[in-house]
Amino acid sequence: MGHAIRRSARGVGALALALLTVSCSGTTAVRGGDASQTPEPVAAAIRVAPLDRATGVPTDATVLVAAQGGTLQKVVVRAVKGARGSLPGILSADGTQWRSRGTAAPGATYEVSATAVNEAGAVTETTSTFSTVKSKGTFAIESLLPSEDLTGLTVGVGMPVMITFDREITDRVSVERNLLVSTSKPVLGAWHWFDSRTVHFRPKTFWPAHTKVRVEARLAGVHGGGGLYGAANRTLDFRVGRSQITRGSTLTHHLIVRRDGRVVRRIPMSAGKGGVWKYHTTSGVHLAMSREPVTIMVSPGIGPGSPGYYRMTVYNTVRISNSGEYVHSAPWSVGSQGAANVSHGCVNVSPANAKWFIDNTLIGDPIIITGTPRRLEPTNGWGHWQEDWKQWLKWSSLKHFTTEKA
């Protein structure tokens, strides 16, 4: 599609070298050639790994077929028991080696059929089989964001890719190796495990505006740990829209909205008033998480009749954290907006500005707040950008990330 986050290949080269030292596997037949030639042509030898009738083969093991004294004409690796379909593969430029791509199904038997020919035209054919390790169960993606329901698949420049699995993943390396992100513009990014079921992806810096992104979770047959294997593949395509970044200070009491670097709106605001209830707006890089025409807000941890209790209906809200922070319409505090902080922690703006903001915000747009004593936690909503790049990489299972054209 453009550029892809690539992972280092497994020991294919070493295995290919090993093929030259093992005996022919499977059943081999030689036919053709000209019997009048003296001496008779030496038939090409075909080597196959895994060896014939091998059992317990890992699903991500590379099938290698090599021809010695000739070139490969045809290689087919197809499931004959316990699964359907064939394994795709790629032939080397000189035609002497073929290697599979992707993963096999667990608990399945595969047949390898290969044909080679030498310079004199003698044809060698071989057939072998191998069986993969058995599965104790499967895992699948429970949720994948962004989604069409949430965003319409056009998102802001801060939007992460978020995957939640339905089972705990203990073989994170195998799973992460099969999560591919391709982009239409060069992007350096990495996956980050928040726990054994949750892995998210973000670039080192905000996405370039107007970037097309494809996420391929090639998980069918991939080991997730504990004998669990991926049940299916998933693909997600989305687009990053214009770059819109909003910055607000609780000291100057204004939001400044910049689109593609140009100021498009200055919005007077009122933030958390602090005080005994510690109604502080969090400082940090927030992301727009949802756009809600109507939201019912209730005081956290305070019941009816208690001091500080409130329950109110609020309009045109943009959620920026999981701890109940929004940018929203607050007609009751218009007199303080631009001058003082009087809210319970949300960012109050006028009804007209709230309508403009919700209409002009994409899910994933950065909203950066400064000036308060409370820092946004990285796990409070989508606080992914609260971790610097070094911290983000600390929770990745793969340490090398490069971008190149797909």
Side-chain angles (χ1 to χ4, degrees):
M1 180 178 190
H3 304 263
I5 307 301
R6 299 290 298 274
R7 275 76 183 187
S8 60
R10 305 189 72 178
V12 173
L15 187 52
L17 181 62
L19 286 174
L20 301 179
T21 65
V22 300
S23 60
C24 295
S25 59
T27 302
T28 304
V30 180
R31 58 184 173 82
D34 187 349
S36 65
Q37 290 183 345
T38 304
E40 293 184 358
V42 177
I46 300 176
R47 321 294 191 194
V48 178
L51 297 178
D52 188 30
R53 300 182 184 179
T55 60
V57 176
T59 57
D60 60 352
T62 302
V63 179
L64 284 168
V65 181
Q68 190 174 22
T71 57
L72 293 167
Q73 300 297 296
K74 184 179 181 181
V75 177
V76 176
V77 181
R78 66 183 184 91
V80 293
K81 183 179 179 182
R84 294 182 178 179
S86 301
L87 290 181
I90 185 169
L91 186 66
S92 63
D94 63 2
T96 62
Q97 293 186 24
W98 181 96
R99 62 183 179 89
S100 63
R101 303 178 67 179
T103 55
T109 299
Y110 286 83
E111 180 184 78
V112 182
S113 299
T115 303
V117 62
N118 67 3
E119 291 183 357
V123 176
T124 304
E125 296 176 336
T126 187
T127 301
S128 65
T129 62
F130 68 89
S131 299
T132 56
V133 64
K134 294 183 179 180
S135 171
K136 294 182 179 179
T138 61
F139 70 90
I141 292 177
E142 189 171 77
S143 67
L144 175 59
L145 296 176
S147 70
E148 189 170 5
D149 292 342
L150 180 66
T151 68
L153 297 183
T154 298
V155 302
V157 296
M159 186 71 194
V161 177
M162 295 174 278
I163 293 177
T164 302
F165 297 103
D166 63 351
R167 306 283 293 271
E168 291 192 357
I169 303 299
T170 57
D171 191 349
R172 297 181 180 183
V173 172
S174 291
V175 170
E176 191 175 322
R177 185 185 291 115
N178 288 280
L179 300 176
L180 179 67
V181 179
S182 302
T183 60
S184 61
K185 298 180 181 181
V187 172
L188 176 63
W191 293 95
H192 177 108
W193 291 87
F194 284 94
D195 56 47
S196 59
R197 292 179 57 177
T198 309
V199 62
H200 294 181
F201 177 94
R202 54 154 264 213
K204 183 177 181 180
T205 58
F206 292 147
W207 297 98
H210 310 296
T211 298
K212 295 179 181 179
V213 183
R214 166 164 287 188
V215 181
E216 295 179 81
R218 300 174 180 175
L219 298 176
V222 171
H223 187 232
L228 299 177
Y229 289 84
N233 298 326
R234 289 280 296 274
T235 300
L236 168 68
D237 291 297
F238 66 92
R239 182 183 182 91
V240 179
R242 79 290 176 272
S243 172
Q244 180 167 299
I245 300 173
T246 300
R247 295 180 182 272
S249 169
T250 62
L251 305 179
T252 63
H253 313 292
H254 278 79
L255 294 172
I256 309 298
V257 184
R258 286 182 170 84
R259 186 175 299 158
D260 297 323
R262 183 174 63 88
V263 175
V264 295
R265 194 86 168 184
R266 297 179 184 272
I267 303 176
M269 74 173 202
S270 179
K273 61 185 176 181
V276 64
W277 301 109
K278 298 181 179 179
Y279 289 132
H280 295 295
T281 305
T282 56
S283 284
V285 183
H286 305 75
L287 298 179
M289 299 172 61
S290 67
R291 297 169 296 195
E292 304 170 18
V294 181
T295 302
I296 305 268
M297 296 188 178
V298 181
S299 53
I302 303 174
S306 300
Y309 173 78
Y310 64 86
R311 187 180 190 279
M312 58 178 62
T313 302
V314 182
Y315 299 93
N316 291 328
T317 71
V318 175
R319 189 180 190 110
I320 62 173
S321 78
N322 275 347
S323 56
E325 295 171 290
Y326 294 79
V327 178
H328 67 78
S329 172
W332 58 86
S333 69
V334 169
S336 298
Q337 293 165 20
N341 296 320
V342 298
S343 83
H344 294 106
C346 288
V347 177
N348 288 183
V349 299
S350 70
N353 281 324
K355 181 65 167 61
W356 182 92
F357 196 71
I358 195 173
D359 287 345
N360 287 274
T361 294
L362 292 174
I363 300 302
D365 277 348
I367 301 165
I368 304 170
I369 305 296
T370 59
T372 77
R374 181 184 172 189
R375 182 177 182 271
L376 176 68
E377 304 87 351
T379 55
N380 185 356
W382 300 345
H384 299 67
W385 298 97
Q386 289 297 92
E387 294 186 348
D388 62 28
W389 188 238
K390 184 177 180 179
Q391 291 172 315
W392 186 261
L393 289 181
K394 182 179 178 181
W395 298 104
S396 173
S397 294
L398 300 176
K399 302 304 180 185
H400 301 283
F401 305 88
T402 59
T403 58
E404 59 183 53
K405 290 185 179 181

